[in-house]
Amino acid sequence: MHFKGNFMTRRAILLVPSLTRREQLAARDQLVQSLLHYTDGWESSAADSDDSSGMNVTTVTAKGRQGEGEVVLDLYEAYWADLVPDRSGESPWQRFSRGFTLVTYWMTGGLMKALLRGEFPVRTMVAMIIAGLSLIIWYAIVVVVLLKSVAAGDAELPKAITNLTDLLGITGPFTEWAKQINDWPVSVFLAGLLTLGRFEGISNISAFTKAYLRDDPMGEDQMGVRAKARKRVLALLDHVHGRSGDVAYDEVYVVAHSLGGAIAIDALAEYGQRLAGTTLITWGTAIGTLAQREPLIEAEIRKFYTAPTRIRNWVDVVFPNDFMGSKVPIPIEERHGLIERPRLKRIFPDTVSPRIPRGLLFRLSEVHNGYYRSEEAILMLVKPAADLPQPVTDAPADG
């Protein structure tokens, strides 16, 4: 460790949060609370401040209760939740259409081939497909319930629909068919109301992931959402590494949760010489799944193996039952169309699979956010860097 004043280690932690529409710094504040509550064996305290450039930072000071030393953690957040579109105003037809396109998107490409080859856990893809199908079925039932209400005289069809049915001459049969609908659609409709939020949540995640992977333009400037998110992480990295008037950091950790992992990988893949002092810790990313769907993701991971300056360490953390997470794959050496070379030799440590926090074992939909309550994951941010799972080899590739 390095001594600076009274401190043994000063470490910057850059949090790249998950895909959730929440207030700026809310995710960082949650991580601060995790460091105060889930660092057994360390006495921790926190204080808010601004660095010399006015950047908001929360400082957590942790002292080992067995004399391990002291570490000062400055926590920053690479905020990007404002890039996530608000879909609350979508019409049923727009949601139905989105569900259909999501199903076709996640069932095509390299995912099905990877599934057949047994190369990665399928839970993420299955969850996204189920969410899309659920939206399709639920909104189809919405139409059926509407027809039933029309047949019972409790509602009227929109003018545009009645004009169309009159034009096609099917108003009579249309109404008669609606009268034959039994009560089961109403029951399914009511049951769907209880789970629609969950379907919508997974669907929104998969829709934004699709937009991110394709770098779809968003906002008035028409810049791609992937480029925007990456630029924000790079700007924060540059700020932390190039601070003036503040004590320099001994170490920089980038902690990325869920889709934030893909953003962090994009930003770090070509970060240059400063990678030597940077450690990446990913929580519950779906990188294994995304790499199968978009070869560009695997190409970004390959840069971590082949760049002139290699990142100091990359620790991947995934709960065994996290259906929205998958292990980071080892990239192939080179790809030319359908021709693939052997995979590179493993450099970074094996994926860590910690115990799921209590109370989440049978609540699978909440496991994905449980990393903030995982003591094993949180302690990695406090302990010395040498206590992290270490890279396994310096060899760049198989022969």
Side-chain angles (χ1 to χ4, degrees):
M1 291 186 179
H2 303 283
F3 287 84
K4 290 190 179 294
N6 295 324
F7 305 134
M8 294 185 67
T9 299
R10 193 176 189 97
R11 181 181 299 153
I13 295 182
L14 281 62
L15 175 64
V16 187
S18 64
L19 194 165
T20 305
R21 289 184 61 87
R22 60 195 306 187
E23 294 296 325
Q24 188 169 4
L25 302 180
R28 188 203 61 185
D29 292 343
Q30 183 179 4
L31 182 57
V32 169
Q33 291 302 312
S34 297
L35 287 165
L36 296 179
H37 290 84
Y38 292 101
T39 48
D40 186 36
W42 294 76
E43 181 184 0
S44 303
S45 61
D48 289 330
S49 63
D50 294 329
D51 63 18
S52 61
S53 66
M55 177 74 72
N56 185 270
V57 57
T58 296
T59 300
V60 174
T61 302
K63 300 178 181 179
R65 296 183 184 274
Q66 295 294 331
E68 298 92 338
E70 182 174 291
V71 60
V72 176
L73 310 174
D74 284 348
L75 280 78
Y76 301 84
E77 178 185 324
Y79 184 68
W80 61 279
D82 58 317
L83 301 178
V84 181
D86 182 5
R87 301 184 183 277
S88 59
E90 283 186 337
S91 67
W93 167 249
Q94 288 174 317
R95 300 185 187 198
F96 178 90
S97 175
R98 177 158 55 91
F100 181 79
T101 56
L102 289 176
V103 170
T104 56
Y105 179 78
W106 291 108
M107 290 186 67
T108 57
L111 287 178
M112 292 306 295
K113 291 186 291 184
L115 171 61
L116 294 175
R117 292 196 298 261
E119 287 188 352
F120 72 101
V122 301
R123 52 182 176 262
T124 306
M125 183 185 71
V126 170
M128 292 181 174
I129 292 176
I130 289 176
L133 288 174
S134 299
L135 284 179
I136 292 173
I137 295 171
W138 195 84
Y139 284 108
I141 291 173
V142 169
V143 175
V144 172
V145 171
L146 174 62
L147 295 179
K148 188 172 180 65
S149 298
V150 171
D154 297 329
E156 295 183 1
L157 286 173
K159 184 79 172 169
I161 294 180
T162 56
N163 289 342
L164 178 61
T165 55
D166 289 341
L167 179 64
L168 298 177
I170 60 173
T171 304
F174 187 77
T175 304
E176 291 299 319
W177 177 77
K179 291 180 180 179
Q180 303 303 315
I181 299 175
N182 295 321
D183 289 336
W184 68 266
V186 179
S187 301
V188 175
F189 173 80
L190 294 176
L193 284 176
L194 301 177
T195 56
L196 179 62
R198 186 169 298 170
F199 293 150
E200 284 278 15
I202 298 175
S203 177
N204 290 343
I205 289 173
S206 59
F208 184 84
T209 302
K210 172 187 173 185
Y212 177 85
L213 292 175
R214 303 194 315 180
D215 196 28
D216 288 348
M218 289 188 180
E220 296 181 358
D221 58 9
Q222 290 298 291
M223 293 294 102
V225 65
R226 185 175 187 171
K228 285 182 176 181
R230 179 179 62 229
K231 182 175 176 59
R232 293 190 182 184
V233 177
L234 284 171
L236 186 55
L237 280 166
D238 288 339
H239 170 81
V240 167
H241 280 287
R243 296 194 317 168
S244 59
D246 297 290
V247 178
Y249 291 115
D250 301 310
E251 301 158 348
V252 175
Y253 283 11
V254 177
V255 180
H257 179 213
S258 190
L259 185 60
I263 299 173
I265 289 169
D266 281 344
L268 290 169
E270 299 182 60
Y271 195 54
Q273 293 181 350
R274 288 171 169 172
L275 284 175
T278 304
T279 294
L280 174 61
I281 299 177
T282 47
W283 290 350
T285 70
I287 297 299
T289 300
L290 302 184
Q292 297 293 345
R293 185 58 186 82
E294 295 289 346
L296 183 59
I297 293 291
E298 185 173 350
E300 295 295 283
I301 298 173
R302 191 180 303 118
K303 294 175 184 177
F304 284 83
Y305 285 72
T306 59
T309 301
R310 186 176 296 160
I311 195 169
R312 178 175 181 176
N313 199 357
W314 180 354
V315 181
D316 185 39
V317 182
V318 181
F319 287 136
N321 291 345
D322 183 1
F323 68 88
M324 292 301 292
S326 56
K327 298 178 180 180
V328 173
I330 301 175
I332 60 171
E333 182 179 349
E334 193 176 0
R335 184 191 300 271
H336 293 288
L338 298 177
I339 302 176
E340 299 183 359
R341 298 281 181 86
R343 291 195 178 274
L344 297 169
K345 182 176 291 185
R346 176 177 292 280
I347 293 176
F348 303 110
D350 291 334
T351 295
V352 177
S353 298
R355 181 178 61 84
I356 298 175
R358 291 185 181 277
L360 297 182
L361 184 58
F362 299 105
R363 298 159 63 186
L364 298 182
S365 62
E366 300 179 23
V367 168
H368 190 59
N369 293 318
Y371 296 91
Y372 290 89
R373 287 181 50 208
S374 170
E375 189 131 40
E376 184 174 349
I378 298 299
L379 279 173
M380 290 182 183
L381 310 185
V382 175
K383 291 182 176 181
D387 288 352
L388 291 174
Q390 295 298 301
V392 296
T393 179
D394 291 325
D398 289 326

